[in-house]
Amino acid sequence: MNDTFIVIIAIGIAGILMFIFPLMTIADRNDDITQLTVQTDTNELVDGIRRTGTLTYDEYNSFVSSISATGNAYDVEIQFQILDENPSKKTSSATNVVIIGENVYYSVYTTQIEEELNNKGKYVLKEGDIVSVRVKNRSKTFAQTLRGVWYSVMGDDTYIIFASAAGTVSVNGK
Amino acid sequence: MKIQTLAIIFVLIIMPISVVLGEYSAMQRKIFAIEQTYDSSLITSTDDALKAFQINTFNDTTTGITDRKMNIIEASANAFFNSMEQCFSMQGYSKEDLHSYVPALVYTMYDGYYIYSPYQNITEQNGTINLGSTGKDYGFKPYVYYSCRYTSGANNDFVITYTLDNYITIQGFVKGAMVDKAGYLLTRANAKDKLGVFIDSATNQVYYNGVPIEKESNLTENLVESDGTTIKQYKYIKLNGTKYYLDEGQEKIFYILGGDRVEQAIKAKDEETYAMYKNAIENNISAIDYYKKAYEFTLWVDNNLSSITVNNAVPINNLQDKNIGNIFDGNYDSPGSNFNTHRKDVIRYAIESNLSIAIANFNNYSGSTTDFQMPVLKETDWDMLQNEISIISFLQGLNMGGKIYNGYTVVANAKTEEVINEGKIYIATSDGYYHKINDKHLLKNSDYMKTYTVKDGVLDLDFEIRTDGATNQKYRNRTELGCYTSIVEQSNVDSTCDSIYEYLTKHKNDIYENALIKYYTALGREKWGRRFNSLILTSLDEF
């Protein structure tokens, strides 16, 4: 009886060591690779917007398709900070040189940007605008699922793949 | 063998593989992070170089002069390396170290470019050039023009220098005669309502794309007075890159040099010259001159070079688009015309050929084991280089721990008076705002145009904040503010066309006519008023 119990325990441990452990290791490495891929794509997207001053519907779709090809679902958050130089140009009178304000930025967010892309096919920015993109996985990766089974500590809103990039637009978009 | 033993053996095999794979992927992530840091450092440094270039050119009225421009570019290159030193100080690289990893810094200009890279033909203290020197120095190599040689038969052997717009210079033998000509190319129209330039021989009225071009009599802008607190409006004209202002109170003409007002003509001393300038300012025909002279120059080109094709280019093999037909086929305005396709091709080849040599030669100077080669530039970068004055920086050979860094960045200089293209002319309206020409507010059927009127067409830079050199006060040449829906946010501009040219030709009949007149007049005025190097010198006699 005692031997049987030990054998069962041993088989259990062996199963964990032979299957679960390698599986977790490979799943972790897979997440590492996914992280690199998503970060590269995010950088390329931001760099493209920064260089051309334009985000097109096709570019955005291509980016979303590319990161989705990693097998996970992602939340993409885009923020454009639009430069408003007018406050710094306003003067108290037409003949006075006193400058009363500084440059300000106001932000547009993902839904507004997506709406513009759907309606017009592109979002045009100008020199000085700031673009920032954040991507995080919405669905659990295989590694997260495995860890969730073991540790039961994974909350619904926890992410493991995260990429972000930002830059200042260097040209007026066309 | 017991299953436990098998499991242990399995783990012993898997564990090192897992650890190695883990380390490898960790290293890849580390390399990637370093690469990102280097990328952003390069972008930051190039942006700093551009800012230094912009600040110096923007507030300096003498930047069109070649010597002055060289000083400014050298200062910009210095700013680049200073910024690089700051960015890379944490990695332990000094400014001198970084020189060994920057094979070239390129400043593309209106009609050519400078390459900043090391050279060995060092000038000694006594002024002689030591061609056999083993030392090296960093500096700018001679200016390279965007030029291409063409030969056709025994009578045609000439060089055309292209620019970032429709201005070309032709030098050499054309039909057996020595030629040295320069001018703007514009499509010639055969009727006033057709696309292109048309001159009505009966009335001498100039039309462009069906729009009459106007004489301007009230072109004014703001200047800071010497007390440093008040701003005054002056009428002006821009000739060869210099703005001449009319001071009606003191009856003199002046221009600004290094922040100081320099008197060009005083009525009490030279009434004739003063009257000539005053007349030119109050009856500004720069725009008319631009279209008329372009028409004449284009007529000559059409009559003499219409048979030239890419096959006549030397060396043809290096040009990409060889089958575009006749280069000077009469269509010059469209971005996709044979002329513009070939022009961009020549610019690309001119940059690519010299730059790849400069970078390859860097192997002789760097002392690094890296094999320096020119990276492949993205098409979007080429598009930028073919349309805007830009800076390209290269950084190669830095060790990232398992990989060698090879990066470049391109930044465009949008704040320049050298390149005047369709997107740089804005329309000022009576409500105190300025708009892009493709703003839907400027359409005939918009309510906006029923309430407000079009004042004039203005170069975008005239709305920028400037610093008065004498009083150090901030001011703007024009006080209008950017329209929130077309300049700041750009939500109300047309998005169906790929270029302003396409928009203007497609929606010619939809745009408020006065806006079009002011727009094309301003475009012609600004192109005609820019500084020319060897080229057209506008004479006051023409006014």
Side-chain angles (χ1 to χ4, degrees):
Chain A
M1 173 67 190
N2 216 6
D3 278 354
T4 310
F5 179 73
I6 289 169
V7 167
I8 290 168
I9 295 293
I11 289 171
I13 292 171
I16 291 166
L17 288 174
M18 288 191 350
F19 296 104
I20 306 298
F21 173 72
L23 211 56
M24 283 182 73
T25 308
I26 288 166
D28 275 345
R29 295 296 78 79
N30 191 43
D31 280 0
D32 289 346
I33 292 162
T34 306
Q35 169 72 38
L36 275 177
T37 307
V38 172
Q39 184 65 59
T40 306
D41 287 345
T42 310
N43 281 356
E44 278 181 8
L45 179 76
V46 170
D47 202 38
I49 301 170
R50 202 185 61 74
R51 285 167 191 244
T52 60
T54 310
L55 173 63
T56 64
Y57 181 82
D58 289 344
E59 284 166 353
Y60 182 65
N61 262 357
S62 167
F63 167 71
V64 173
S65 303
S66 177
I67 58 171
S68 300
T70 59
N72 302 312
Y74 294 92
D75 280 328
V76 179
E77 292 172 20
I78 306 182
Q79 183 186 2
F80 291 155
Q81 287 175 268
I82 310 295
L83 173 66
D84 179 1
E85 284 183 301
N86 282 343
S88 69
K89 290 178 176 175
K90 286 176 183 167
T91 54
S92 53
S93 77
T95 56
N96 197 312
V97 294
V98 178
I99 290 168
I100 60 164
E102 296 296 331
N103 289 344
V104 294
Y105 286 88
Y106 68 91
S107 298
V108 288
Y109 297 97
T110 315
T111 48
Q112 293 162 289
I113 294 163
E114 284 179 340
E115 190 182 342
E116 184 92 351
L117 292 175
N118 285 328
N119 292 339
K120 296 181 178 174
K122 64 181 175 184
Y123 199 108
V124 180
L125 297 163
K126 64 179 180 303
E127 187 193 6
D129 290 349
I130 297 170
V131 53
S132 55
V133 179
R134 286 154 53 95
V135 181
K136 58 186 180 186
N137 62 310
R138 186 171 64 232
S139 63
K140 283 181 185 173
T141 66
F142 189 47
Q144 277 180 296
T145 311
L146 284 176
R147 272 206 292 271
V149 170
W150 283 100
Y151 308 135
S152 302
V153 292
M154 305 300 293
D156 284 342
D157 57 352
T158 308
Y159 52 86
I160 197 163
I161 311 289
F162 175 77
S164 67
T168 307
V169 176
S170 59
V171 293
N172 290 325
K174 291 174 185 167
Chain B
M1 196 179 284
K2 285 184 177 179
I3 192 163
Q4 298 92 315
T5 316
L6 274 174
I8 289 164
I9 292 169
F10 184 80
V11 168
L12 285 174
I13 295 167
I14 287 293
M15 185 75 89
I17 294 172
S18 168
V19 169
V20 169
L21 279 175
E23 281 301 311
Y24 179 75
S25 64
M27 191 180 79
Q28 289 301 316
R29 277 185 292 169
K30 196 177 160 192
I31 289 172
F32 187 73
I34 294 172
E35 193 170 13
Q36 272 189 289
T37 311
Y38 287 0
D39 278 343
S40 62
S41 297
L42 187 60
I43 291 169
T44 305
S45 303
T46 316
D47 277 339
D48 285 347
L50 180 70
K51 286 292 169 205
F53 184 69
Q54 278 180 344
I55 288 167
N56 281 323
T57 51
F58 194 61
N59 290 311
D60 191 333
T61 50
T62 59
T63 54
I65 299 164
T66 307
D67 286 351
R68 181 76 187 115
K69 194 185 277 180
M70 276 301 294
N71 289 341
I72 287 171
I73 293 172
E74 277 177 16
S76 168
N78 206 27
F80 172 80
F81 282 105
N82 284 337
S83 180
M84 287 279 279
E85 188 182 23
Q86 296 297 318
C87 291
F88 284 91
S89 59
M90 291 300 284
Q91 278 86 14
Y93 290 107
S94 69
K95 193 173 170 182
E96 286 68 33
D97 295 336
L98 288 165
H99 267 106
S100 304
Y101 299 102
V102 180
L105 199 56
V106 183
Y107 286 77
T108 65
M109 298 284 140
Y110 179 64
D111 56 358
Y113 63 94
Y114 291 103
I115 296 180
Y116 181 88
S117 61
Y119 55 84
Q120 284 183 319
N121 49 340
I122 295 169
T123 308
E124 302 291 354
Q125 282 186 339
N126 61 9
T128 57
I129 296 173
N130 184 357
L131 295 171
S133 170
T134 52
K136 65 176 185 225
D137 208 350
Y138 284 86
F140 285 97
K141 296 187 171 180
Y143 192 67
V144 181
Y145 286 95
Y146 305 134
S147 56
C148 185
R149 183 183 166 200
Y150 303 86
T151 55
S152 173
N155 291 329
N156 292 301
D157 188 347
F158 55 90
V159 171
I160 297 182
T161 301
Y162 294 92
T163 61
L164 296 180
D165 63 12
N166 55 337
Y167 189 86
I168 63 168
T169 308
I170 306 162
Q171 290 165 314
F173 288 92
V174 177
K175 293 185 176 175
M178 181 66 188
V179 165
D180 186 358
K181 278 180 172 290
Y184 288 102
L185 280 177
L186 284 176
T187 303
R188 291 182 300 121
N190 53 17
K192 73 176 184 182
D193 56 345
K194 295 279 169 57
L195 291 178
V197 193
F198 178 77
I199 300 173
D200 189 330
S201 53
T203 60
N204 213 21
Q205 173 67 50
V206 177
Y207 294 87
Y208 183 66
N209 288 354
V211 175
I213 304 304
E214 287 183 337
K215 180 165 76 177
E216 297 176 291
S217 56
N218 198 22
L219 205 59
T220 59
E221 67 177 31
N222 299 323
L223 290 179
V224 179
E225 292 297 275
S226 56
D227 61 8
T229 55
T230 51
I231 284 177
K232 194 176 167 186
Q233 272 195 339
Y234 289 95
K235 291 181 183 173
Y236 76 98
I237 186 170
K238 194 174 178 184
L239 298 169
N240 294 313
T242 303
K243 285 178 177 173
Y244 295 94
Y245 299 92
L246 170 63
D247 187 339
E248 288 175 294
Q250 295 189 41
E251 296 189 312
K252 66 180 182 184
I253 306 294
F254 68 91
Y255 62 94
I256 293 172
L257 183 69
D260 297 323
R261 293 184 183 188
V262 180
E263 287 162 353
Q264 179 74 6
I266 302 172
K267 188 180 180 184
K269 289 181 182 172
D270 186 352
E271 193 167 351
E272 192 182 345
T273 309
Y274 172 79
M276 203 182 276
Y277 273 98
K278 189 171 185 286
N279 180 44
I281 290 169
E282 292 181 335
N283 299 284
N284 189 335
I285 55 166
S286 292
I288 295 170
D289 257 355
Y290 166 74
Y291 290 105
K292 268 188 177 175
K293 299 288 180 188
Y295 185 93
E296 288 165 13
F297 179 72
T298 308
L299 182 64
W300 184 90
V301 169
D302 287 347
N303 287 338
N304 292 281
L305 304 180
S306 59
S307 62
I308 298 297
T309 68
V310 181
N311 291 318
N312 298 116
V314 182
I316 180 186
N317 291 337
N318 299 312
L319 296 170
Q320 284 194 328
D321 295 302
K322 300 182 184 68
N323 302 315
I324 56 170
N326 295 349
I327 300 164
F328 304 100
D329 62 352
N331 174 19
Y332 306 110
D333 302 354
S334 157
S337 66
N338 288 352
F339 165 71
N340 279 317
T341 305
H342 179 66
R343 177 180 65 81
K344 288 177 181 178
D345 208 11
V346 169
I347 292 172
R348 182 171 178 157
Y349 171 66
I351 295 173
E352 218 166 28
S353 56
N354 287 288
L355 187 55
S356 56
I357 292 168
I359 293 179
N361 283 345
F362 192 70
N363 289 310
N364 303 328
Y365 304 105
S366 72
S368 162
T369 52
T370 308
D371 183 21
F372 290 92
Q373 287 183 336
M374 184 178 162
V376 178
L377 270 62
K378 291 177 184 168
E379 285 304 314
T380 50
D381 292 327
W382 280 118
D383 189 49
M384 198 188 289
L385 293 169
Q386 288 160 340
N387 290 295
E388 305 276 0
I389 288 175
S390 312
I391 301 177
I392 321 170
S393 61
F394 297 89
L395 182 64
Q396 298 183 354
L398 289 173
N399 195 331
M400 297 188 291
K403 196 179 167 190
I404 300 297
Y405 182 78
N406 183 0
Y408 77 93
T409 194
V410 181
V411 292
N413 180 11
K415 288 182 183 170
T416 175
E417 291 184 10
E418 285 198 59
V419 182
I420 313 290
N421 54 38
E422 284 97 345
K424 291 178 83 75
I425 302 296
Y426 293 149
I427 298 295
T429 48
S430 59
D431 58 344
Y433 284 90
Y434 61 93
H435 312 255
K436 280 187 172 179
I437 188 65
N438 57 354
D439 187 346
K440 290 176 185 169
H441 281 143
L442 300 178
L443 293 175
K444 279 177 188 169
N445 58 6
S446 87
D447 291 337
Y448 194 81
M449 281 291 101
K450 289 171 189 158
T451 315
Y452 304 108
T453 55
V454 167
K455 277 162 68 182
D456 45 17
V458 185
L459 184 68
D460 58 353
L461 293 183
D462 290 339
F463 296 110
E464 294 290 329
I465 298 171
R466 292 173 185 269
T467 306
D468 180 60
T471 62
N472 213 26
Q473 283 291 357
K474 299 271 190 290
Y475 73 104
R476 291 195 301 142
N477 290 141
R478 298 288 300 231
T479 53
E480 289 88 351
L481 299 174
C483 164
Y484 275 93
T485 55
S486 79
I487 301 292
V488 177
E489 194 185 335
Q490 306 180 81
S491 59
N492 198 37
V493 295
D494 173 83
S495 59
T496 59
C497 299
D498 289 335
S499 65
I500 297 282
Y501 174 83
E502 186 187 338
Y503 174 79
L504 289 171
T505 50
K506 214 171 176 178
H507 298 278
K508 193 178 88 172
N509 297 323
D510 305 327
I511 303 169
Y512 187 61
E513 193 185 4
N514 203 27
L516 271 181
I517 293 172
K518 299 292 184 189
Y519 174 82
Y520 282 128
T521 301
L523 185 64
R525 176 226 306 151
E526 294 299 335
K527 282 201 176 224
W528 195 247
R530 65 174 294 277
R531 182 181 292 278
F532 297 99
N533 293 328
S534 57
L535 322 169
I536 305 170
L537 289 173
T538 313
S539 165
L540 277 175
D541 298 339
E542 293 171 12
F543 290 92

